[in-house]
Amino acid sequence: MPPREPAKPQGRPRRADARRNHDLLLAAAKEVFAERGAGAPLDDVARRAGVGNATMYRHFPTRQELLIAVYSDEVTELCAQGEALLAAEPPGDALFTWLEAFVAHVATKRELALALTDDRAGRRSELFDGWHESMRAVAEALLDRARRSGAVHPGVDAADLLALANGIALTGTGDSRTRRLLGLVRRGATG
């Protein structure tokens, strides 16, 4: 199940220049938010994209809409990486490669996710439920494949692995510590 995206206006398809501007704004927002946080001035996003503020606000009328688009795009990329790993051998390595990417996602996108605080009509809950379900489905598919190959114990479940990976991400440790902790989880999952 792909993540739910913000509603797009109905009607005719976007012109090529409008699609290009949307993509430029999204890429610029990812960079600016990664460098300066989710509260970075939106003028900086427009400037980095090489478009005017009016163009930015036509595509993303509010900061909330831009944050949703950026976070949704990040979740889509993470899930696509997991789906690509479904064909990778060996299955246990594929699972833990994706879990390492999941840890990096949680660790680096936490501020962005927390910035999505406007919960008009439960929209935040609906969006997060969709995003979480997408990530859980990818984790479950990778885990099921690893279980069938004997790479992990049959009793290991995706919710437990994601909870452990989330805990690792929230500790804020460096890459080598993350790999070490995931190695401990892996050894525990194979026994």
Side-chain angles (χ1 to χ4, degrees), residues 18-163:
R19 280 192 311 275
R20 184 185 67 249
N21 287 340
H22 179 274
D23 294 345
L24 287 170
L25 285 162
L26 194 56
K30 282 182 191 181
E31 291 173 5
V32 170
F33 293 156
E35 292 167 10
R36 301 189 56 199
L42 296 183
D43 291 352
D44 291 355
V45 173
R47 194 174 305 110
R48 174 90 46 104
V51 301
N53 287 356
T55 298
M56 180 181 62
Y57 286 111
R58 262 194 310 279
H59 289 277
F60 303 103
T62 65
R63 174 181 299 275
Q64 188 78 5
E65 290 299 317
L66 183 56
L67 290 169
I68 288 169
V70 168
Y71 192 79
S72 181
D73 198 52
E74 297 284 348
V75 171
T76 298
E77 288 174 11
L78 178 65
C79 290
Q81 179 184 2
E83 289 168 11
L85 285 166
L86 283 169
E89 292 295 332
D93 288 351
L95 170 63
F96 282 90
T97 295
W98 187 80
L99 281 175
E100 189 172 341
F102 175 81
V103 167
H105 169 83
V106 172
T108 60
K109 305 304 176 222
R110 187 167 189 257
E111 180 191 358
L112 191 60
L114 291 175
L116 297 171
T117 57
D118 185 3
D119 195 18
R120 285 177 266 178
R123 184 165 184 222
R124 179 177 187 239
S125 296
E126 180 183 323
L127 289 168
F128 274 87
D129 287 349
W131 292 328
H132 290 164
E133 175 56 28
S134 296
M135 290 183 279
R136 189 212 53 77
V138 168
E140 186 62 51
L142 288 164
L143 176 60
D144 184 53
R145 186 168 166 261
R147 268 196 226 112
R148 283 192 319 252
S149 76
V152 296
H153 189 274
V156 173
D157 98 349
D160 292 341
L161 280 179
L162 290 174

